[in-house]
């Protein structure tokens, strides 16, 4: 594991952390009971199996 050689200042730490941004999940079209929905890809099987109910 990498270990820093020197202590990083609070200012530098906060500037580095501020650059991180979450991205929106990629939506996949699925058809449930003849109606098409856009859902996150990782949840598509759960919607198709009826474990989750699509809203809308």
């Amino acid at each position: 594991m990498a270990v820093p050689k020197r202590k990083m200042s609070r200012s530098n730490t906060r500037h580095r952390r501020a650059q991180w941004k979450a991205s929106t999940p990629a939506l996949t079209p699925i058809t449930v009971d003849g109606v098409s929905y856009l859902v996150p890809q990782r949840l598509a099987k759960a919607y198709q199996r009826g474990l989750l109910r699509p809203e809308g």
Side-chain angles (χ1 to χ4, degrees):
M1 188 169 109
V3 178
K5 204 162 199 170
R6 297 176 194 269
K7 182 176 180 177
M8 182 177 269
S9 71
R10 183 179 293 172
S11 176
N12 282 345
T13 300
R14 290 180 178 168
H15 277 91
R16 187 190 70 247
R17 287 182 181 164
Q19 298 304 312
W20 184 88
K21 292 175 183 62
S23 58
T24 58
L27 299 179
T28 305
I30 63 163
T31 305
V32 178
D33 297 331
V35 182
S36 183
Y37 298 98
L38 287 175
V39 297
Q41 184 175 355
R42 67 189 193 97
L43 298 176
K45 280 192 177 180
Y47 282 107
Q48 289 172 344
R49 291 178 182 169
L51 300 174
L52 296 173
R53 292 189 186 146
E55 299 174 11

